[in-house]
Amino acid sequence: MITFSKRQLKIPKFARDVYLVTGGNSEFRRAFPEKRTEELCIEALQEAAKYVGMTATELKKYIHTCYYGHFADHFGDQLLGEAVIHDRLGLDPLGNIGVKTGGATGGSTIWEAAKAVASGYSDCTLAMGWERMDEVPTDEGNNYISCAADKDWETPLGHIYTGYYAVMAQKYWNVYGREEESFRRTLAEISVKNHGYAYHNPFAQAGMKITVEDVLKSPVVAYPLRALDACLMSVGASCVILADKETAYQMCKQPLLLYCAAGSHTLRVADRRDMEIPLLPNETEETYKDLDKEFPGGERYPGFTGFLAARMAAYYAYNWTGIKDPCEDLDLVELHDAFTISDVQTYEDIGIRPYGRGRTYVESGDCYHTNPKTGKPGKLPANLSGGLIGCMHAVGATGIMQVVDLMYQIHGRHAEIHGDPERWKRYGKQKPKDWEDLQVKGAKRGLAISHAGVGSHVTCTIVMQPDARLDK
Amino acid sequence: MSGYSVKVVEGKYNLSGEFHTIEPNQPILDEKGKLCGITNPRRIVHHHSLGGEAPFFQAITRGRLLATRCDNKNCKDGFGSIFLPYRIHCPDCLERNTEIDVTDLANKTARVYSFMVCERSGAFNTLEKPIRFVNVEFDGVATILMSYLLGKQEPKIGMKVRPIFRTKKPTYTITDLAFVPAETAEKDLPADFTFSK
C-alpha cells in the first residue's frame, strides 16, 4: 500500500488568474501530402487571431513566451521540430520550449503556458500543439508509438501500444463490465455518439452516421475492442492564447478563466502498486465500502481498472476551482476517448460516476447533447467535438483542440464556427443538409481531460465564464 | 543488416563494421507529376545499455527469474516490497534494491491478472500473431509483470501459468521470457524454450 504526503496532495493555485483569450484549429485529416506541418500551425494561429478580430501580426505582438506540444520527433522526422515551427511562426526573439507527455502533450502544453502567465513571467503566452502521423506506414507508426512504452520491458512485446493498453480494457471489461453483452453495446453507443457529433464538425476527420451494429461488426482490434472503438490517427494543429486579466481584457471582450492541473502514474502498467482510492469532493469512504463485494476482482486500486493520474488531476482541479460535483457544476466535458472503454474509465476517474458505475453516464443519456431518452438537454454533454474517435487525435494538438471547442461553446459561438458554410467549403467538404447546432445553451463551465497512453500523464483543464467562478 | 559488432572493452564501447547504410531517396509525385515530397530512407543500428537491469536479462537466458526487493527498514512505503519488473532502485526511498531469485515463487504462484489477444503488431515485431499478452501476478510481489502466453490455450483471468525461458538461441530481450499454462508438459514447450533451470 503506497501513500502520498500532505505536501504532495496540496491543492494547487496560480499566483494570479489566467485567462483564455482565444484559440484555433487547423482542419484535421489522416494525411496532408500537400501541406507541411508549419502550414497547419500557421492556419491554427490565424484562426485564433481571426476569432478575436485581430490579424496574426497584431496577435503576435502580445505573445511573450511560447510552449510547443509535439509528442514524437520520429513522426515528423525532425529533431527540435518545435524550433522549426517557432521560426516559421516568426516569433523570434521569444523564449520557447517543447513539451512531450505522450497523449497528454496538448494538455501539458497548456499547463506550462498557464503557469508562465500565473507566475508573472509572461503576460501572454502561446500554447501550440501538432502531430504529423502520416509520413510512415501505419505499422511503423505503431512501432513509433510503442517506443513511448518501456523500450526494454514492453516495446519488444509486439511493438504495438494498443496491446499494452488493451490488457487494462480487458480487466475493466471483466470486473466492472462483467463481460455483459449490454455493456458491449453501451461501449458501441459511445462510438456512435462521437462519430455522430463529428459529422457536424467541419474540422473533424471521421464524421459518420453509424449504428451500434456497425461498431459491433467492425474488425476486432483486441477483443472486446473493435476498430470503431478506437481513436483516429491524425495530422493537424491547434493553439490557444493565454493571458493575465489586464492583458486578456485588452485583447478581447470575453476572456475565460482557465485552470489546469496534472497528475501522473507509472509508465509501465506493470509497476502499479496497491493504494487506497483518493476521494473526490463528491465521494466519501462510504462510496466504496462494498466495491469489491459488488465487483469481485476490483479490490485492487487502481489495478488495471482505473487511472490514478486522471483521478489526481481531477482531485487537484476540483478542490482548486471549487467544483463539488462535475455533473452539477460543469456544463460540458471533452474527454480523452482513446477507446470507448477508456472513456468509461475516465467517467469514474473524474467523478462523473463512482468507480464501477461509469456505464450509467451513457445509459442514462446524460452524456448527450440532447438526451435520447427524454428529448431534453443532456445533463453533462461529452465530446461534442467528436472527440478522439470522431474528430481527431493529432497527439500534440488533441488536448488543445478540446479546449478550443469548449471555448466556442462557452462563448456561445459554437454554431458560428462549426456551421459556417464557407469553412466546410474551404476544407473541401459539403456542409450536411441535416447539420445540427450542438451549442449547449447557457454553457458557463467546461472541462477537458488530456491523457497519455496507459495513464502516465493526465491533465485536467477547466475553463469558465469569469462570473461563474466557484473558488471565491 | 549485419556486418557489425559491439563490445565493451575496458569500460568503453568498441565498435566495428557498418552501423548505417545509405540508400538513394525517391521523389513523391502526384498523378499529374507534381512534386509533393521525398522519401528519406535510412537504416541505423543503435547500441543500448541494459545497465543495472542486465542481470535480469542475462538470468532469463539461463532459465532463472530475478526480481528486486527494498530492504531499507527506514522506507515507510517500500520496505519489503518485491518488484518485478526488476527495479534497480526502490521507487520510494531510491536506495538500491536487493536482487532476489523468484523463479520458484513464479513456478508455484504465477497467475493471469489480465490479458489481451492482439491480432495486430507494429513494425519490427518478432512474436507470432496473434500475440497473447498476459499480465502475471505472483504471491507477495507488489507489481504485475507484462509478458506473453505461448501454447495453444487461450488466456483467462485467474489462469495458473508457469514461466518459460528462451535458453536456446536467446535474444537477450524481454521476449526470452514467456508463460505457458501451468499444466503444460516440457515436451510441448515451443522451440528454444525450457522451464526453469
Side-chain angles (χ1 to χ4, degrees):
Chain A
M1 188 72 72
I2 59 171
T3 55
F4 306 108
S5 72
K6 278 187 184 173
R7 285 183 185 277
Q8 290 171 329
L9 297 176
K10 168 193 174 286
I11 304 309
K13 67 174 182 182
F14 285 153
R16 61 176 177 169
D17 289 337
V18 175
Y19 286 79
L20 170 62
V21 174
T22 185
N25 298 321
S26 71
E27 186 199 358
F28 302 106
R29 285 194 208 163
R30 176 67 184 90
F32 274 108
E34 76 282 19
K35 285 189 181 178
R36 284 171 62 93
T37 308
E38 74 211 44
E39 296 175 74
L40 300 165
C41 291
I42 288 171
E43 197 176 315
L45 191 67
Q46 285 172 329
E47 281 280 332
K50 192 176 169 196
Y51 187 74
V52 286
M54 288 191 207
T55 64
T57 309
E58 288 166 340
L59 178 60
K60 280 164 54 180
K61 296 291 181 200
Y62 286 92
I63 299 169
H64 182 250
T65 50
C66 308
Y67 302 83
Y68 295 118
H70 176 211
F71 156 56
D73 292 328
H74 299 60
F75 275 111
D77 198 18
Q78 168 70 62
L79 295 187
L80 214 55
E82 300 87 350
V84 176
I85 299 302
H86 185 74
D87 176 354
R88 302 302 198 275
L89 291 173
L91 283 164
D92 292 335
L94 306 181
N96 68 90
I97 193 164
V99 178
K100 293 186 195 312
T101 60
T105 295
S108 299
T109 306
I110 292 176
W111 191 46
E112 287 304 307
K115 288 184 294 182
V117 171
S119 70
Y121 186 98
S122 294
D123 291 339
C124 180
T125 57
L126 164 68
M128 168 79 76
W130 66 88
E131 213 67 52
R132 182 97 230 180
M133 304 181 82
D134 61 340
E135 297 197 339
V136 289
T138 302
D139 67 335
E140 287 176 25
N142 279 326
N143 171 61
Y144 281 156
I145 296 168
S146 80
C147 294
D150 188 303
K151 282 283 298 248
D152 289 323
W153 290 81
E154 294 171 323
T155 309
L157 299 170
H159 297 251
I160 181 88
Y161 202 97
T162 315
Y164 320 145
Y165 169 73
V167 296
M168 303 179 62
Q170 182 65 234
K171 192 69 180 178
Y172 188 95
W173 166 246
N174 175 267
V175 173
Y176 291 146
R178 298 182 175 127
E179 302 188 4
E180 289 172 2
E181 181 54 27
S182 59
F183 180 53
R184 185 43 277 206
R185 293 185 74 82
T186 300
L187 295 176
E189 209 183 301
I190 296 168
S191 173
V192 173
K193 171 177 80 73
N194 293 358
H195 282 292
Y197 288 152
Y199 177 82
H200 305 289
N201 180 353
F203 299 98
Q205 180 183 332
M208 287 192 282
K209 286 189 166 180
I210 53 171
T211 64
V212 165
E213 274 62 38
D214 291 331
V215 180
L216 298 179
K217 283 177 192 161
S218 64
V220 172
V221 177
Y223 184 83
L225 300 177
R226 293 171 179 272
L228 285 171
D229 286 299
C231 65
L232 302 162
M233 263 182 148
S234 313
V235 182
S238 297
C239 71
V240 290
I241 301 286
L242 308 181
D244 71 296
K245 185 175 182 179
E246 188 185 340
T247 311
Y249 278 98
Q250 287 169 10
M251 297 175 76
C252 68
K253 288 180 185 163
Q254 284 189 299
L256 304 175
L257 267 175
L258 180 140
Y259 307 78
C260 186
S264 72
H265 201 199
T266 60
L267 178 66
R268 298 181 296 217
V269 289
D271 292 316
R272 293 177 165 206
R273 291 182 287 164
D274 209 11
M275 66 188 74
E276 286 183 5
I277 300 175
L279 298 175
L280 296 179
N282 62 342
E283 298 173 338
T284 65
E285 286 178 10
E286 193 69 15
T287 312
Y288 296 118
K289 191 166 58 79
D290 296 320
L291 185 67
D292 54 338
K293 290 179 195 134
E294 202 175 341
F295 298 102
E299 48 283 317
R300 189 167 180 145
Y301 181 83
F304 284 13
T305 49
F307 293 108
L308 175 71
R311 166 97 351 182
M312 293 312 299
Y315 164 88
Y316 291 127
Y318 292 174
N319 285 295
W320 176 12
T321 57
I323 288 173
K324 302 282 184 215
D325 182 339
C327 284
E328 297 300 326
D329 297 331
L330 295 169
D331 299 304
L332 76 163
V333 294
E334 285 284 330
L335 305 179
H336 189 96
D337 51 335
F339 294 96
T340 52
I341 207 163
S342 60
D343 205 43
V344 177
Q345 289 173 289
T346 304
Y347 308 156
E348 301 172 3
D349 292 321
I350 67 168
I352 291 174
R353 292 290 188 276
Y355 282 112
R357 310 252 177 242
R359 60 188 286 181
T360 65
Y361 177 49
V362 179
E363 291 162 359
S364 63
D366 285 353
C367 68
Y368 285 86
H369 176 268
T370 304
N371 187 325
K373 294 199 163 55
T374 64
K376 293 180 179 169
K379 192 165 179 62
L380 183 64
N383 293 19
L384 297 177
S385 69
L388 283 66
I389 286 175
C391 179
M392 63 78 119
H393 191 23
V395 183
T398 305
I400 301 175
M401 175 281 288
Q402 296 171 319
V403 172
V404 172
D405 217 61
L406 290 179
M407 178 188 76
Y408 296 150
Q409 287 278 2
I410 297 172
H411 279 150
R413 295 176 63 182
H414 198 257
E416 171 197 328
I417 303 295
H418 284 221
D420 175 10
E422 285 305 311
R423 179 182 302 283
W424 287 88
K425 200 171 157 188
R426 195 160 67 244
Y427 296 161
K429 298 171 183 173
Q430 179 74 39
K431 183 180 174 185
K433 289 195 176 129
D434 55 351
W435 181 83
E436 282 176 30
D437 179 358
L438 295 176
Q439 174 68 47
V440 175
K441 287 193 179 128
K444 283 179 176 287
R445 300 186 201 102
L447 167 151
I449 293 291
S450 189
H451 179 129
V454 295
S456 59
H457 307 72
V458 175
T459 64
C460 179
T461 303
I462 294 174
V463 287
M464 63 178 75
Q465 295 276 9
D467 63 3
R469 72 187 303 163
L470 299 162
D471 60 347
K472 278 186 185 170
Chain B
M1 194 164 69
S2 59
Y4 65 86
S5 83
V6 184
K7 288 181 180 169
V8 173
V9 179
E10 295 178 350
K12 291 179 182 169
Y13 284 116
N14 187 324
L15 312 181
S16 63
E18 294 290 327
F19 283 80
H20 65 274
T21 55
I22 300 168
E23 289 178 35
N25 69 311
Q26 296 177 13
I28 302 170
L29 309 173
D30 74 5
E31 61 276 65
K32 292 175 184 165
K34 190 182 93 178
L35 181 67
C36 296
I38 49 169
T39 63
N40 284 321
R42 90 290 310 268
R43 292 183 188 173
I44 296 173
V45 176
H46 281 246
H47 47 282
H48 170 59
S49 171
L50 293 170
E53 291 179 359
F56 171 88
F57 288 98
Q58 191 140 42
I60 55 176
T61 70
R62 294 169 177 170
R64 300 303 295 180
L65 189 60
L66 302 182
T68 60
R69 185 181 60 215
C70 174
D71 283 342
N72 176 10
K73 288 179 185 164
N74 297 321
C75 179
K76 182 171 157 279
D77 289 334
F79 176 62
S81 295
I82 296 174
F83 300 99
L84 184 61
Y86 183 108
R87 216 171 160 119
I88 305 162
H89 297 269
C90 168
D92 299 316
C93 65
L94 301 186
E95 292 296 319
R96 195 153 182 120
N97 282 333
T98 305
E99 183 177 289
I100 58 171
D101 188 315
V102 292
T103 316
D104 295 340
L105 177 76
N107 281 334
K108 286 177 192 156
T109 71
R111 61 198 176 276
V112 174
Y113 174 78
S114 191
F115 69 92
M116 179 51 61
V117 180
C118 199
E119 302 284 344
R120 296 185 187 181
S121 67
F124 308 109
N125 170 50
T126 57
L127 303 181
E128 199 175 314
K129 289 186 278 187
I131 303 164
R132 294 174 171 84
F133 287 100
V134 284
N135 308 87
V136 184
E137 285 186 298
F138 312 91
D139 282 356
V141 174
T143 53
I144 307 166
L145 182 70
M146 170 109 66
S147 188
Y148 63 111
L149 189 76
L150 289 172
K152 288 176 185 163
Q153 212 168 321
E154 292 300 324
K156 277 184 183 175
I157 290 174
M159 173 193 247
K160 290 200 161 190
V161 289
R162 271 188 79 176
I164 58 171
F165 304 88
R166 196 182 340 238
T167 55
K168 304 164 198 170
K169 299 185 191 167
T171 64
Y172 303 93
T173 72
I174 194 66
T175 65
D176 290 346
L177 172 68
F179 285 79
V180 289
E183 64 276 15
T184 304
E186 183 130 30
K187 66 178 175 52
D188 296 328
L189 294 187
D192 303 331
F193 279 86
T194 59
F195 283 127
S196 57
K197 292 191 170 178

